[in-house]
Amino acid sequence: MKKLILIFILVLSSNAWSDESDLYDFLWLDPDKQVYVLQNKVYEKKGTFYFDVGLVKGMSNDFQDVIGFQGRLGYFLKEEWAVEALFNKYSPSNNRTYDNLKALNNGEPFVRRILQSQALLLVWSPFYGKINTFNKIFYFDWSFAIGPALIKSESNVNTVANVALSGVYEDESYTGAIFKTGLKFYINKRFHVGLEFMNTHYYAPGPQNTSKDILRADSDVLLSVGISF
């Protein structure tokens, strides 16, 4: 009982913050055994570049099947902070819901589809950890990013009400913002794979009032592979 009380006092009196060099000596282990805390990173990021490419799946457009491509280049200023430039290219197409609606009502729904976007983001990676799966340890980071974006799209906002102009889309461009969060799993020090959720926000008009802009949001899921150097 006295030993347990002594251990409890030592734990409470020790510093609660740990860095990558911290370790603990446990009384019940052999004298030459040492246990390192989780904060000991295997893949450090400060001062490194990364380049990722990935496939994008659009999740927000009710009348379009949206797939795309993303390329991004980033640099870690510090272990938790990076700047990133990205480019998205989309290939939207009419889906079954669009075809059914047009066949049943002999009309056309309002559609706005993003064709491409580019952004400059500030990336924050505060969380990291590891998973032991099939007797192999995988290290990962969990990050958040936000920044301004330039968006190119097309829509039938000015022609949807005119049957004679069915299927006519006009080019548009907007300034908006991109927010994303994702997990990056390290295969080794150089290669990694990622899974991200991305939101693109911008103001654009609708068919009811083409002179008034309202906030729009498009969501994407991204699967990527990349290299660090």
Side-chain angles (χ1 to χ4, degrees):
M1 183 67 181
K2 291 182 179 180
K3 290 184 177 180
L4 291 176
I5 294 175
L6 178 60
I7 293 173
F8 183 73
I9 293 174
L10 290 174
V11 170
L12 290 180
S13 61
S14 62
N15 194 341
W17 298 97
S18 302
D19 61 26
E20 297 172 12
S21 63
D22 289 336
L23 55 87
Y24 295 112
D25 295 321
F26 290 95
L27 300 178
W28 55 85
L29 295 177
D30 294 337
D32 61 340
K33 296 288 182 63
Q34 295 175 334
V35 177
Y36 287 85
V37 296
L38 180 62
Q39 283 83 349
N40 183 33
K41 283 189 176 180
V42 174
Y43 305 118
E44 295 184 351
K45 303 185 291 292
K46 181 180 178 180
T48 62
F49 288 90
Y50 61 90
F51 176 70
D52 297 356
V53 294
L55 294 175
V56 180
K57 173 64 177 176
M59 307 296 291
S60 300
N61 203 314
D62 294 332
F63 303 105
Q64 301 286 294
D65 289 329
V66 182
I67 59 173
F69 163 85
Q70 182 183 99
R72 60 176 180 259
L73 176 66
Y75 176 73
F76 275 95
L77 304 167
K78 295 184 177 181
E79 192 63 27
E80 294 182 350
W81 294 95
V83 290
E84 178 181 291
L86 65 79
F87 176 80
N88 298 305
K89 179 69 175 179
Y90 298 93
S91 297
S93 59
N94 298 333
N95 61 16
R96 183 174 297 179
T97 303
Y98 177 97
D99 293 336
N100 290 341
L101 182 63
K102 194 167 184 178
L104 291 174
N105 298 332
N106 196 28
E108 184 178 11
F110 166 62
V111 174
R112 172 173 285 110
R113 48 198 187 191
I114 295 179
L115 302 178
Q116 69 179 53
S117 62
Q118 51 194 15
L120 182 63
L121 307 179
L122 180 64
V123 182
W124 180 41
S125 301
F127 305 113
Y128 64 91
K130 57 185 177 181
I131 301 174
N132 188 346
T133 305
F134 302 113
N135 292 324
K136 182 174 177 59
I137 295 177
F138 293 94
Y139 296 87
F140 67 90
D141 288 331
W142 182 13
S143 66
F144 304 86
I146 190 170
L150 298 177
I151 302 160
K152 290 186 177 181
S153 64
E154 62 180 12
S155 80
N156 59 359
V157 64
N158 294 318
T159 60
V160 65
N162 190 334
V163 179
L165 297 177
S166 177
V168 175
Y169 288 81
E170 298 177 344
D171 293 336
E172 303 170 330
S173 61
Y174 301 101
T175 299
I178 285 180
F179 167 81
K180 66 187 181 83
T181 182
L183 296 172
K184 180 184 292 185
F185 295 89
Y186 293 91
I187 300 174
N188 53 43
K189 189 173 183 178
R190 185 168 295 273
F191 297 100
H192 53 264
V193 297
L195 178 64
E196 292 187 339
F197 176 80
M198 181 174 67
N199 262 347
T200 302
H201 298 270
Y202 58 99
Y203 282 90
Q208 292 84 7
N209 188 350
T210 57
S211 62
K212 181 180 180 180
D213 292 343
I214 62 175
L215 181 62
R216 311 281 179 177
D218 281 35
S219 300
D220 301 317
V221 174
L222 171 74
L223 181 63
S224 64
V225 296
I227 184 171
S228 298
F229 51 95

